[in-house]
């Protein structure tokens, strides 16, 4: 009896293994590229494709536009249009209301937190706190997570950027590694969320390129260079795209954002950075042709947000523009609310990303009604004519404002993490750090200058073409997942672009 049982068990195991082998063979036979490379250019306005077109070489942006499929009318459909939210939305196909990354900083458990901060992990490759980061605040999956699931977690996924949030959030929860710069050492680091020690290829890279200061890296062409070189080192070190299982690399170029904030959207500084980036892209595409094989990889390029033209420049040419100081307005509003309700305790936490954050704990402990506090704050804010609309975010669907603006407010509102009141400024008005508007710029609003971004696919199974059809940032992940035959991320609200 026991012998018969053992024979039957052995037969069952053999059949099960055969079925598993068959299933793996079927999965391996799915038509996919060897490597997916997702490139985000921080603070790249869509019109930068054309402003410097005559100065670009043939192998970078021009190659993308000639050989790729160019979605000219790609828009961000939420606010705030900032780095953490943009990178997350690109790779999740979702919006803050669903994926939970409501800003670079947002409210969590009653206090303001940085999007990637995680005090349960430690820095790897550094003795500083720059590595206390992880994707744990992200509530949805990414393209990379879904690729992992589709390949029984055999695919490798790696994120690279100078910025921690631009490396961590695109790569997702199940990434094999995400690497970013610790400016205290000028080297790439990671966290124990991913590993206990740096791979040897990262150690070797840091020996060759590390040691420069933040200014030398973040505001110069050198930052573009080491981002590209780190991307190539990751492909070499992790053997990405070198076997039958599709891998993914996410790369974000951050220098463009730093220079943009400092010098705005026109002038020699931003031109120099984009012309240099064009060279870096050409070199990277040439490397991928040789290492992975032309036509064997899928690359897409987009941006996390755009940027406003400098208000001073616009005024010089008769175009209305201006700015407000969030810290100043927050204090004035707080003083007004304290006087109005007869309390000494502050009721305004901050104004961030054009949102007013009310201290709900203070409101409760002072036995005030939140709706009363919000209404009083809104009435006071409406006195300033530069705010076109002042909206209670909990009731944004009922607000009287243009439908396109309403949609973006609703998509950007996470009830547990976002602020309470949205400030919708007049066009070309933005947050500034002091009373004097400087030569730089910023971003964060719904307007086309912040929300119109490039989106171009090139390579594997992509035929050259252009569309002016409406595309959203959420459609990027849906399109990539459709091309490589994996399920779209679990919070994705986008639709695949039809070629």
């Amino acid at each position: 009896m026991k012998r018969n049982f053992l024979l039957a068990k052995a037969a069952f195991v053999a059949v099960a293994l055969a079925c598993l082998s068959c299933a793996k063979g079927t999965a391996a036979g799915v038509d996919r590229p060897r490597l997916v490379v997702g490139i985000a250019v921080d603070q790249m306005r869509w019109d930068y494709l054309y402003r410097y077109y005559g100065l670009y070489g043939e192998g970078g942006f021009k190659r993308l536009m000639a050989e790729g499929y160019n979605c000219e009318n790609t828009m961000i459909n939420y606010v705030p249009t900032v780095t953490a939210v943009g990178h997350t939305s690109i790779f999740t196909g979702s919006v803050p209301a669903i994926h939970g990354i409501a800003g670079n900083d947002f409210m969590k458990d009653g206090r303001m937190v940085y999007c990637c901060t995680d005090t349960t992990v430690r820095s790897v490759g550094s003795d500083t706190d720059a590595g206390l980061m992880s994707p744990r605040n992200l509530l949805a999956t990414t393209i990379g997570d879904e690729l992992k699931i589709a390949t029984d977690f055999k695919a490798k996924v790696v994120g690279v950027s100078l910025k921690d949030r631009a490396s961590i959030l695109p790569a997702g929860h199940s990434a094999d590694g995400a690497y970013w710069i610790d400016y205290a050492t000028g080297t790439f680091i990671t966290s124990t969320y991913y590993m206990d020690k740096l791979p040897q290829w990262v150690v070797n890279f840091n020996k060759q390129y590390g040691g420069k200061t933040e200014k030398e890296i973040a505001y110069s062409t050198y930052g573009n260079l080491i981002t590209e070189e780190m991307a190539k080192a990751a492909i070499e070190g992790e053997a990405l795209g070198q076997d039958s299982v599709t891998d993914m690399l996410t790369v974000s170029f951050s220098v463009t954002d730093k220079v943009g904030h400092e010098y705005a959207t026109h002038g020699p500084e931003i031109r120099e950075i984009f012309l240099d980036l064009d060279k870096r892209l050409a070199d990277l595409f040439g490397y991928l042709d040789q290492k992975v094989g032309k036509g064997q990889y899928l690359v897409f390029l987009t941006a996390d947000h755009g940027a406003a033209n400098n208000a001073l420049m616009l005024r010089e040419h008769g175009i209305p523009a201006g700015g407000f100081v969030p810290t100043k307005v927050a204090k004035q509003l707080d003083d007004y609310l304290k006087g109005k309700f007869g309390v000494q305790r502050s009721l305004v936490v901050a104004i961030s990303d054009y949102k007013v954050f009310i201290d709900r704990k203070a409101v409760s402990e002072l036995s005030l009604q939140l709706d009363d506090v919000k209404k009083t704050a809104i009435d006071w804010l409406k006195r300033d004519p530069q705010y076109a609309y002042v909206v209670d975010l909990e009731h944004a669907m009922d607000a009287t404002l243009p439908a396109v603006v309403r949609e973006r407010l609703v998509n950007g509102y996470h009830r547990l993490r976002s602020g309470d009141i949205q400030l919708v400024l007049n066009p070309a008005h933005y947050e500034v750090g002091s009373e004097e508007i400087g030569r730089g710029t910023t971003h964060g609003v719904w307007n086309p200058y912040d929300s119109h971004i490039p989106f171009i696919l090139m390579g594997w199974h992509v035929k050259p073409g252009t569309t002016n059809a409406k595309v959203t940032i959420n459609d990027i992940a849906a399109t990539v997942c459709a091309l490589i035959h994996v399920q779209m991320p679990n919070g994705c609200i986008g639709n695949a672009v039809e070629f």
Side-chain angles (χ1 to χ4, degrees):
M1 178 78 87
K2 182 176 182 181
R3 183 173 182 275
N4 290 339
F5 171 76
L6 292 174
L7 287 172
K9 182 178 180 182
F12 173 79
V13 171
V15 171
L17 288 174
C19 291
L20 181 61
S21 176
C22 180
K24 288 183 177 178
T26 301
V30 174
D31 192 19
R32 292 183 180 129
R34 293 170 63 181
L35 179 64
V36 178
V37 181
I39 300 173
V41 182
D42 207 324
Q43 200 184 123
M44 181 176 179
R45 292 166 52 113
W46 163 82
D47 60 350
Y48 287 167
L49 288 173
Y50 299 97
R51 182 177 302 169
Y52 308 123
Y53 186 85
L55 301 175
Y56 290 144
E58 297 302 319
F61 287 115
K62 282 186 177 179
R63 177 179 172 183
L64 275 172
M65 297 168 74
E67 297 183 15
Y69 194 82
N70 189 356
C71 299
E72 295 271 24
N73 190 24
T74 303
M75 305 294 292
I76 295 174
N77 58 346
Y78 57 76
V79 290
T81 46
V82 295
T83 298
V85 187
H87 282 82
T88 303
S89 299
I90 291 165
F91 290 90
T92 64
S94 194
V95 292
I98 297 171
H99 62 56
I101 302 301
N104 292 334
D105 301 276
F106 49 79
M107 188 72 71
K108 185 180 179 185
D109 300 326
R111 61 188 182 89
M112 295 295 289
V113 299
Y114 178 64
C115 57
C116 291
T117 294
D118 185 348
T119 56
T120 70
V121 301
R122 293 179 290 103
S123 299
V124 175
S126 171
D127 294 328
T128 73
D129 290 341
L132 272 60
M133 305 287 170
S134 85
R136 287 194 171 110
N137 285 330
L138 174 60
L139 303 178
T141 59
T142 63
I143 301 170
D145 289 326
E146 295 298 332
L147 179 61
K148 283 275 195 179
I149 294 168
T151 60
D152 294 326
F153 296 91
K154 292 180 177 62
K156 284 189 174 182
V157 177
V158 177
V160 170
S161 180
L162 299 182
K163 292 183 179 181
D164 48 46
R165 58 188 181 272
S167 170
I168 292 168
L169 297 170
H173 300 276
S174 59
D176 297 273
Y179 304 96
W180 57 93
I181 284 284
D182 181 352
Y183 285 113
T185 59
T187 56
F188 279 93
I189 65 169
T190 188
S191 86
T192 51
Y193 176 87
Y194 304 99
M195 61 195 72
D196 292 326
K197 65 177 183 178
L198 289 177
Q200 190 58 45
W201 66 265
V202 180
V203 174
N204 294 341
F205 184 90
N206 285 334
K207 287 179 180 178
Q208 181 176 0
Y209 291 99
K212 292 189 179 294
T213 66
E214 179 175 2
K215 185 175 181 180
E216 290 174 316
I217 297 171
Y219 294 89
S220 75
T221 57
Y222 188 77
N224 284 341
L225 172 66
I226 63 170
T227 302
E228 185 221 342
E229 291 299 326
M230 184 63 174
K232 293 194 295 187
I235 293 172
E236 293 280 351
E238 299 293 340
L240 301 181
Q242 301 304 301
D243 58 25
S244 61
V245 180
T246 302
D247 299 317
M248 184 167 190
L249 175 68
T250 71
V251 186
S252 179
F253 289 91
S254 302
V255 174
T256 45
D257 183 69
K258 291 285 191 178
V259 173
H261 277 292
E262 188 75 15
Y263 300 106
T265 59
H266 290 67
E269 297 87 359
I270 198 71
R271 181 177 66 244
E272 177 189 8
I273 286 300
F274 271 90
L275 294 184
D276 178 75
L277 175 60
D278 180 61
K279 295 175 183 176
R280 301 277 62 81
L281 291 174
D283 185 71
L284 179 59
F285 298 153
Y287 169 83
L288 289 169
D289 289 342
Q290 297 299 316
K291 187 68 180 178
V292 183
K294 191 171 183 179
Q296 297 301 307
Y297 63 90
L298 172 67
V299 64
F300 66 91
L301 181 142
T302 186
D304 54 348
H305 55 75
N309 289 313
N310 179 265
L312 297 180
M313 180 193 76
L314 295 177
R315 286 177 179 176
E316 287 178 5
H317 298 275
I319 300 173
F324 81 108
V325 184
T327 52
K328 177 183 176 182
V329 176
K331 185 179 185 309
Q332 291 173 336
L333 174 60
D334 192 47
D335 288 342
Y336 176 78
L337 292 175
K338 286 192 290 187
K340 194 73 173 177
F341 290 98
V343 298
Q344 298 299 314
R345 189 169 173 179
S346 290
L347 298 174
V348 177
V349 176
I351 295 179
S352 178
D353 291 335
Y354 305 91
K355 292 179 172 65
V356 179
F357 289 80
I358 301 295
D359 190 334
R360 296 189 176 196
K361 183 179 179 181
V363 169
S364 176
E365 292 178 353
L366 291 168
S367 298
L368 301 175
Q369 296 299 313
L370 180 60
D371 284 346
D372 292 341
V373 175
K374 288 193 292 184
K375 184 180 184 306
T376 304
I378 289 170
D379 289 343
W380 183 82
L381 289 162
K382 282 183 174 179
R383 298 176 185 176
D384 192 329
Q386 74 172 316
Y387 308 133
Y389 301 95
V390 184
V391 181
D392 181 344
L393 282 168
E394 192 172 358
H395 303 288
M397 283 298 294
D398 302 323
T400 303
L401 70 167
V404 64
V405 181
R406 183 189 304 111
E407 177 192 27
R408 297 181 188 194
L409 266 59
V410 171
N411 284 343
Y413 176 63
H414 190 283
R415 70 178 186 87
L416 299 176
R417 297 183 173 186
S418 296
D420 299 282
I421 299 168
Q422 180 78 46
L423 303 176
V424 181
L425 277 68
N426 290 322
H429 286 67
Y430 50 78
E431 295 179 341
V432 295
S434 64
E435 294 292 342
E436 295 294 326
I437 298 174
R439 65 176 299 191
T441 189
T442 190
H443 49 84
V445 298
W446 71 270
N447 306 72
Y449 46 80
D450 281 357
S451 62
H452 191 186
I453 55 175
F455 171 38
I456 310 175
L457 301 118
M458 183 185 76
W460 186 84
H461 288 195
V462 175
K463 295 180 180 180
T466 300
T467 180
N468 284 305
K470 181 181 178 181
V471 174
T472 74
I473 192 171
N474 309 134
D475 297 334
I476 297 172
T479 303
V480 173
C481 288
L483 281 171
I484 65 175
H485 306 299
V486 304
Q487 180 61 275
M488 64 181 67
N490 62 15
C492 183
I493 63 170
N495 297 293
V497 173
E498 295 184 11
F499 295 93

